[in-house]
Amino acid sequence: MAGDRNFDDLAYRFASNVYQTLKGRIRLDVIQRDLEQRCPQLQQPGGVILDAGCGRAPFAGPLLSLGHKVTLVDVSVEMLKLALAEVEPTALAEQKLAWFHGTIVQYQRQAWSGQSFDVILCHAVLEWVEDPQALLHSIHTMLKPGGVLSLLFYNLDGLIFKNLLRTNFKKVNQGQYRGGRRSLTPTYPRKIDDVKTWCQALNLEPVCHSGIRVFHDFVLNEEDRNRQPEEIKALELQFSSQSPYRELGRYQHMLWQKPK
């Protein structure tokens, strides 16, 4: 849709600002922990995986090495280039990896073969699209009965809390949290309850729920925020699944299963 974000103009900045930082490593560690512990479909080889809105696709390489087939979909051709550059060429040659340039809804309607996916990753996409329910409907259509959706989204409540801590009261009073065109702050940050409602309306069943960066981003002193990275990561993992810390995490990671 017209309001959906394409990262062609910010692909390299996005990659360096997210994946090459402590906050990016926290994000990947929490997601990986949840997938390893609560998604048995990934523990046996031969799975069919969709990375919907893949970005740089940090999980594609590990999933391929575990013996799964992976399809990458992204509206940004620059992001796809970065993702494909990270993957072993043999994966393409052996047809273990496929890719599609376009939106997730376009892929489902125009290019999807009809083969259902065992696992669908949809990480940091929901907050950039104008119609999140259409996106989730397409994902639900492509998900195998018994399959798992790994859903990561930017949390509006965590964003509000951070602005309160930074005394950005004008922004809070106006309820205006959207990032600008060149900003990495998402266009449509989402409320946890809204996302739960949308997923439950599709009869998806909750498997687990974690917060990502439940305290890291709220440390206002940048030096303190990066002083003890290993201890910060360990504590982030410890508190990521505990309320009320979980619900304030900058990102929310949920696993949802489609009934068999």
Side-chain angles (χ1 to χ4, degrees), residues 6-208:
N6 183 318
F7 280 99
D8 278 348
D9 58 329
L10 293 177
Y12 292 89
R13 179 183 163 202
F14 186 90
S16 63
N17 282 21
V18 174
Y19 299 118
Q20 298 175 19
T21 62
L22 174 59
K23 65 181 183 181
R25 294 193 294 274
I26 293 169
R27 170 168 154 175
L28 295 178
D29 284 353
V30 174
I31 296 171
Q32 183 174 337
R33 187 270 317 271
D34 290 351
L35 291 174
E36 288 179 351
Q37 294 183 0
R38 304 302 298 275
C39 189
Q41 290 88 340
L42 295 180
Q43 309 315 314
Q44 299 294 328
V48 184
I49 316 298
L50 172 65
D51 196 341
C54 62
R56 198 166 180 175
F59 291 100
L63 289 170
L64 288 165
S65 68
L66 289 172
H68 301 297
K69 291 185 177 181
V70 178
T71 297
L72 306 179
V73 175
D74 204 286
V75 72
S76 167
V77 69
E78 295 301 324
M79 279 294 191
L80 281 170
K81 288 178 183 178
L82 289 172
L84 293 171
E86 299 278 333
V87 176
E88 290 291 333
T90 53
L92 282 168
E94 296 173 2
Q95 297 186 328
K96 294 180 180 178
L97 180 71
W99 59 274
F100 175 81
H101 174 222
T103 70
I104 297 158
V105 173
Q106 287 171 340
Y107 173 74
Q108 182 257 318
R109 294 177 179 173
Q110 301 171 14
W112 179 49
S113 68
Q115 180 184 19
S116 298
F117 292 97
D118 298 291
V119 177
I120 296 180
L121 312 180
C122 185
H123 295 166
V125 179
L126 211 60
E127 62 270 27
W128 295 104
V129 298
E130 192 172 356
D131 190 345
Q133 290 174 275
L135 166 65
L136 290 171
H137 183 270
S138 287
I139 286 173
H140 179 268
T141 300
M142 295 185 287
L143 188 62
K144 179 183 294 185
V148 171
L149 165 63
S150 172
L151 186 63
L152 176 77
F153 63 93
Y154 195 85
N155 178 20
L156 177 58
D157 292 326
L159 180 59
I160 292 172
F161 189 50
K162 185 173 182 181
N163 277 282
L164 287 169
L165 291 177
R166 294 194 170 185
T167 67
N168 293 329
F169 299 142
K170 182 178 179 181
K171 184 174 287 190
V172 173
N173 288 328
Q174 292 178 344
Q176 183 58 258
Y177 303 104
R178 296 175 58 155
R181 179 64 188 173
R182 300 289 299 177
S183 172
L184 295 182
T185 300
T187 317
Y188 309 103
R190 303 299 180 187
K191 291 188 71 68
I192 296 170
D193 287 345
D194 288 343
V195 175
K196 286 182 176 180
T197 297
W198 299 333
C199 290
Q200 289 164 352
L202 294 169
N203 294 319
L204 294 171
E205 299 171 348
V207 176
C208 79

